[in-house]
Amino acid sequence: MLNKEEERLIFDFIYLPLVRKILVQDLEKVKNSKVKFTEPYILFMEKVINKVGMDLGKVKKTLFKKGITVYDQGNVEQRCIYLIVCRGYRQKMNLFPHLMKNDVMEYMKKYFLEI
């Protein structure tokens, strides 16, 4: 039902908000830290947060054009459940939080190395 590009877009749609949320939380921690020069860290993290936000906007726009909708169904029995509606078909996706954590970390590494 879904091709590789569509799967990638769906994972980006799920993970990019999590990446942004974690970066915003970490930015607050850096602002309140006792690091001697916080400004370079703050500027870097803000740049990464902006890039994540721009990429998320592109992903949402592309999903809309392709007619794909992703619904968060919540957490059940230590799984995050998402409903994907694509071209009239419905598919459930189960993700495990401990694996999602690893994927979010990989996304963060990618953005840190990119900028």
Side-chain angles (χ1 to χ4, degrees):
M1 172 171 100
L2 295 171
N3 62 35
K4 292 291 181 190
E5 178 193 352
E6 292 169 341
E7 284 182 8
R8 179 83 266 140
L9 286 169
I10 290 168
F11 282 117
D12 286 349
F13 180 79
I14 292 170
Y15 288 125
L16 288 179
L18 298 173
V19 170
R20 186 172 55 188
K21 180 179 178 182
I22 290 169
L23 288 172
V24 168
Q25 289 173 352
D26 290 349
L27 178 61
E28 289 303 313
K29 291 176 184 175
V30 169
K31 286 180 180 178
N32 296 326
S33 71
K34 302 272 191 240
V35 178
K36 188 164 190 155
F37 300 111
T38 58
E39 187 176 355
Y41 298 105
I42 292 170
L43 292 174
F44 176 74
M45 291 183 77
E46 286 174 345
K47 188 173 182 180
V48 174
I49 291 168
N50 288 337
K51 176 73 172 135
V52 170
M54 289 174 29
D55 289 350
L56 181 58
K58 291 175 188 173
V59 167
K60 286 180 178 181
K61 189 175 184 178
T62 306
L63 284 174
F64 180 77
K65 283 182 182 177
K66 291 183 176 276
I68 300 171
T69 310
V70 180
Y71 298 100
D72 185 354
Q73 301 288 295
N75 299 337
V76 177
E77 297 176 6
Q78 297 180 344
R79 288 179 292 159
C80 300
I81 300 173
Y82 295 89
L83 174 65
I84 293 98
V85 179
C86 177
R87 296 182 288 275
Y89 294 99
R90 295 172 179 260
Q91 177 179 344
K92 284 200 175 195
M93 181 181 292
N94 296 314
L95 300 174
F96 295 98
H98 61 282
L99 298 176
M100 290 176 73
K101 179 181 173 184
N102 294 338
D103 290 338
V104 168
M105 189 167 50
E106 291 302 316
Y107 271 82
M108 289 176 69
K109 286 180 188 177
K110 182 188 93 171
Y111 276 100
F112 284 175
L113 294 173
E114 190 177 283
I115 292 184

